Amino acid sequence: MTWPDAEAALVAWLAPRLGVRVCTDTPADLDDVVPLVRLRRIGGSDDGFRLDLAVMDIEAFAATRAEAAALAARTRDALLADLPGSAAPAAVFTAASTLSAPSWRPWENPGLTRMGATYAVHLHARP
């Protein structure tokens, strides 16, 4: 059984639900492609065999604070209400919880707004 890539699995699961681009790296043309969600694994733990607890930092970028806040809220709702029990091509998600609720984060371009949150996502490899 292969180990699930939590970032890739979450990108595959989130993108069709949010209807915006979901990625792991900030695109060079960010100003032109917002709204956008960027996620990165920043920690977590595993059992060394099958179960994974991925701590994920998820950021919503948009042209206005209201749009970024709405996208961050939609992301949170999807993770907490719909993710548990769902599957991506290589993983099954069993639980999600908020570690740090969505909040404003500074960004170098004042023409964009970034809202970020941190979640714990439990998953295992798809059999």
Side-chain angles (χ1 to χ4, degrees):
M1 180 176 300
T2 59
W3 192 256
D5 177 344
E7 288 180 340
L10 200 52
V11 166
W13 186 86
L14 263 179
R17 282 156 185 81
L18 296 178
V20 300
R21 182 175 173 184
V22 179
C23 56
T24 57
D25 294 310
T26 307
D29 61 344
L30 178 63
D31 295 358
D32 300 323
V33 296
V34 294
L36 173 137
V37 169
R38 176 179 69 180
L39 61 87
R40 292 176 286 181
R41 183 178 187 143
I42 58 170
S45 63
D46 60 64
D47 68 358
F49 171 66
R50 187 170 183 239
L51 302 177
D52 191 7
L53 165 59
V55 176
M56 306 295 290
D57 194 57
I58 301 179
E59 298 172 312
F61 291 86
T64 69
R65 188 174 183 136
E67 291 170 342
L71 181 54
R74 285 184 20 235
T75 303
R76 183 181 189 184
D77 290 346
L79 291 172
L80 300 182
D82 300 329
L83 184 66
S86 296
V92 176
F93 301 100
T94 57
S97 59
T98 304
L99 300 179
S100 178
S103 61
W104 176 84
R105 294 179 180 176
W107 188 249
E108 63 242 15
N109 178 352
L112 293 179
T113 299
R114 176 173 70 155
M115 301 288 287
T118 306
Y119 300 93
V121 176
H122 299 257
L123 65 151
H124 61 83
R126 196 169 185 175

